[in-house]
Amino acid sequence: MLAISNLDKSFHLFQQNNTHISVLRGAELHVEGGECVALTGPSGCGKSSLMRMIYGNYRAAGGAIMIDGTDMVTASPREIMALRRTTIGYVSQFLRVLPRIPTLRVVAEPFIRAGGDGAEAESRARDLLARLHIPETLWSLSPLTFSGGEQQRVNIARGFVHPYPVLLLDEPTASLDAANRATVLQLIVEAKQRGAALVGIFHDAEVRDAVADRVIDVSQFAEAGQ
Amino acid sequence: MTELLRVSGLAKYYGSQIGCADISFDLYPGEVLGIVGESGSGKTTLLRSLAGQLTPDAGSAHLTLRSGEVRDTIAMDEADRRHLARTDWAYVHQNARDGLRMSISAGGNIGERLMAVGNRHYGNIRETATKWLERVEIDPTRIDDRPSTFSGGMQQRLQIARNLVTAPRLVFMDEPTGGLDVSVQARLLDLLRGLVAELGLAVIIVTHDLAVVRMLADRMMVMRRGHVVEAGLADQVLDDPSHEYTQLLVSSVLQV
C-alpha cells in the first residue's frame, strides 16, 4: 500500500547562515494494508519529517514514496490534493481550522470532501464525537474554543471519519485520559481490520505495543548524514 | 477534468521596467491559487493582466468557456473580453468602494450585475438580491440602504455578493481582506471558503498575508521582482519553503 525507497531529505536554511541539514538518507519503509508500523528514534531524528513527506507536506530531495500508484515525491499539486481527499489521512498534533465552523461540520468535512453523502458524514461524525467523549452540547460550537485535549480528540475524529487506505498518526494518544486512549486504540484496531496501512509516532510505549506490528527506528537513516 | 485556465509565458512591462514576466500556470475548476509577494513584486500587475484590465506584452491565457470552447483571452477582441467580465469572470477589489456603486442601494448593486446579463424581471431580481444579502450575512432589511452607510466588512461582503450573483467561474481577488479588522477578516475568510466550496469556483487571490493563503488556497506562487520564484501546494511552500526569498517571507511572520 505504501512503499518508500531510497528517500532523502535535507534542509537548506538561507536565513540561518546558509546551514545545510541532512535529515534522512536512503530511508526505506514498506507498509502493507492492515498493518501498523511505529516510527521510533530520539527527538529530531526525522520521524515527523518522514511523516510529513508521506503526506506531501515536506518535499523530498530524492527517492520515491509510492501510494496507490502515485509517487508523492514527483506528483503534481493536483495529484497530491486528490490523494489527500480520498487516500491519505493525517492526524497531526494540532487542530488547524477556520474560526466559527461548528465541531460537527469540522469532523464531517473530510468524509464529504472524499465524495461521501452529507447525512452519512454527519452520522459518522456524531458517532466518533460520542465515542471520544466530546459532550453533545459542544458539537455546535467551534472547536477553537475547546481545551487542548478536546481539540486533539476533535482532530482524531476528523482523521477517522473517512476510511482512508493510508493513515498517518502523529502522537494520537498524547495527553488523553484512559477512556479516550482506549477509544483511540479501538479506532486503530478497526482501521487495521478494514485493511488500512497505518504509520504512527507513539511515545506511549503501552499504546505502541498494543497497536504496532513492527517498529522502525528512523535514526538508522540519519547516521549516514551526520 | 480539463483545466479552466492555462497561462503561458505571460509578461507585462512598464517601459523598461518589468511588471511581471515568464508567468506560466494552470488552474482547474474548484481550485484556489494564492499569489504572494511584497509590494511591487508584480502580483497585482499579473492579476490585472489576467482579468483584462491591463494589456500584457507577451504570452497567452487560454480559458475553457462554458461551451467547452478554448479561447485566448489576451488575443480576443475587447468586446468579447467585456462580455467575459460580466459573465465568467468576477473581480473583487481590495477597496470595496472600487467594486461597488456607492450612490445606489445595496439591492441595486447586486441587481445591476443581473441586469447586465439580461435579467429584467424586477421581482425576481429583488428576490435574488435578498437571498444573496442573507448569504453574505447582511441583514436583508438593509436592501434599500446605500453601501456608504455600511461598515467596511459589510461593504466587502456586498462586493462579493455583487460579484458572485451571476455565477462566474473564475474569480480574481486583490487583497480582499486588506484593511479589515482581524475579527472581520476571519468572518470574511470563512464566508469565502464556504462559497468557493459550494459554488466550485476557481479563484486567483493576491495577498501579502500568508495566513489568508494558508486558510484559503490549495496552491500558491511566490513572486519577487516580477518573477515567480517558488510555486507548489500551499502548505508545502509555507511549511517547507525551498527558495531563499520564500524562507525569508515565512520566517518574517510574527507568531501569535
Side-chain angles (χ1 to χ4, degrees):
Chain A
M1 194 63 231
L2 169 68
I4 297 177
S5 54
N6 204 22
L7 190 70
D8 292 341
K9 176 65 190 166
S10 56
F11 293 100
H12 188 143
L13 305 175
F14 291 94
Q15 305 307 319
Q16 293 170 52
N17 305 320
N18 267 320
T19 311
H20 190 88
I21 303 170
S22 176
V23 181
L24 297 174
R25 190 161 298 174
E28 303 276 333
L29 179 66
H30 295 257
V31 187
E32 298 297 325
E35 197 182 23
C36 178
V37 172
L39 305 180
T40 60
S43 183
C45 75
K47 301 186 293 291
S48 288
S49 290
L50 180 56
M51 295 258 277
R52 283 167 175 260
M53 279 189 284
I54 298 171
Y55 195 61
N57 178 233
Y58 278 7
R59 277 172 272 214
I65 302 172
M66 299 302 301
I67 296 173
D68 203 14
T70 302
D71 180 0
M72 296 297 283
V73 175
T74 55
S76 69
R78 284 181 48 72
E79 290 173 310
I80 294 176
M81 274 155 36
L83 275 177
R84 285 180 182 178
R85 272 195 294 275
T86 57
T87 310
I88 331 169
Y90 180 33
V91 177
S92 73
Q93 291 188 66
F94 304 101
L95 183 70
R96 199 168 229 159
V97 293
L98 274 179
R100 300 205 312 160
I101 300 178
T103 296
L104 196 61
R105 243 180 78 199
V106 165
V107 175
E109 191 192 25
F111 189 83
I112 295 167
R113 285 198 339 145
D117 168 69
E120 196 188 341
E122 188 178 314
S123 99
R124 293 176 74 99
R126 288 174 167 277
D127 177 53
L128 281 162
L129 287 169
R131 286 180 71 184
L132 288 156
H133 308 98
I134 303 283
E136 192 165 349
T137 48
L138 300 182
W139 295 359
S140 58
L141 307 176
S142 164
L144 293 181
T145 59
F146 294 3
S147 74
E150 284 166 342
Q151 288 194 9
Q152 197 194 357
R153 281 179 273 147
V154 170
N155 223 10
I156 291 166
R158 196 175 146 80
F160 280 90
V161 73
H162 171 69
Y164 295 103
V166 176
L167 191 55
L168 310 171
L169 306 165
D170 192 351
E171 297 224 43
T173 57
S175 76
L176 292 188
D177 61 27
N180 284 306
R181 199 170 60 175
T183 299
V184 174
L185 287 181
Q186 188 55 38
L187 288 171
I188 294 174
V189 169
E190 287 168 20
K192 285 167 67 172
Q193 281 167 352
R194 65 170 168 77
L198 285 89
V199 179
I201 300 172
F202 309 97
H203 280 163
D204 183 336
E206 220 173 283
V207 172
R208 185 165 64 221
D209 294 343
V211 297
D213 301 290
R214 281 187 292 133
V215 170
I216 297 281
D217 185 350
V218 177
S219 65
Q220 67 181 294
F221 306 119
E223 279 151 20
Q226 284 175 358
Chain B
M1 191 159 54
T2 52
E3 72 267 358
L4 179 67
L5 183 68
R6 171 162 285 180
V7 177
S8 179
L10 193 90
K12 168 73 185 168
Y13 299 93
Y14 298 107
S16 61
Q17 292 283 323
I18 293 175
C20 62
D22 301 326
I23 309 290
S24 300
F25 66 90
D26 293 339
L27 190 69
Y28 284 74
E31 255 179 27
V32 179
L33 173 70
I35 303 177
V36 303
E38 60 202 16
S39 303
S41 60
K43 53 192 197 300
T44 299
T45 294
L46 171 59
L47 195 73
R48 297 189 61 202
S49 297
L50 291 170
Q53 298 179 7
L54 292 172
T55 308
D57 295 301
S60 61
H62 286 94
L63 183 74
T64 306
L65 305 178
R66 281 172 218 256
S67 61
E69 187 193 351
V70 178
R71 302 258 336 249
D72 180 359
T73 64
I74 290 167
M76 72 172 44
D77 64 48
E78 187 57 33
D80 285 354
R81 214 163 23 234
R82 262 195 238 118
H83 179 71
L84 273 182
R86 284 198 305 270
T87 55
D88 277 8
W89 286 350
Y91 195 100
V92 176
H93 295 263
Q94 171 173 11
N95 190 339
R97 288 165 177 271
D98 295 335
L100 290 173
R101 291 232 282 147
M102 301 304 281
S103 58
I104 63 171
S105 69
N109 265 284
I110 299 175
E112 193 176 50
R113 242 186 90 111
L114 285 170
M115 287 165 70
V117 294
N119 286 281
R120 287 293 176 268
H121 188 284
Y122 177 80
N124 290 349
I125 290 173
R126 195 169 168 90
E127 196 188 316
T128 307
T130 304
K131 270 193 208 138
W132 268 94
L133 285 175
E134 285 173 349
R135 214 158 171 184
V136 298
E137 302 169 10
I138 294 173
D139 178 356
T141 63
R142 303 289 303 269
I143 190 166
D144 295 316
D145 294 347
R146 289 182 185 182
S148 51
T149 66
F150 288 4
S151 70
M154 284 168 74
Q155 288 180 2
Q156 197 56 292
R157 295 201 300 279
L158 179 62
Q159 190 195 182
I160 287 162
R162 172 182 164 97
N163 269 285
L164 299 188
V165 67
T166 51
R169 295 157 71 229
L170 175 57
V171 183
F172 302 99
M173 296 188 186
D174 187 6
E175 304 271 12
T177 60
L180 297 177
D181 289 342
V182 176
S183 62
V184 178
Q185 281 186 17
R187 181 176 186 184
L188 188 70
L189 285 173
D190 178 21
L191 177 74
L192 281 175
R193 209 172 79 143
L195 289 170
V196 165
E198 190 185 323
L199 305 172
L201 302 171
V203 180
I204 303 178
I205 181 166
V206 158
T207 180
H208 63 269
D209 187 343
L210 298 182
V212 169
V213 174
R214 166 94 65 192
M215 284 198 261
L216 273 187
D218 304 303
R219 290 159 48 208
M220 68 185 282
M221 302 198 304
V222 181
M223 290 189 70
R224 190 186 195 200
R225 293 182 188 145
H227 292 269
V228 173
V229 295
E230 185 163 359
L233 268 182
D235 65 277
Q236 199 178 60
V237 174
L238 292 171
D239 292 335
D240 188 13
S242 60
H243 190 276
E244 182 172 2
Y245 178 68
T246 315
Q247 290 189 3
L248 177 66
L249 266 190
V250 171
S251 67
S252 304
V253 175
L254 294 174
Q255 301 286 325
V256 284

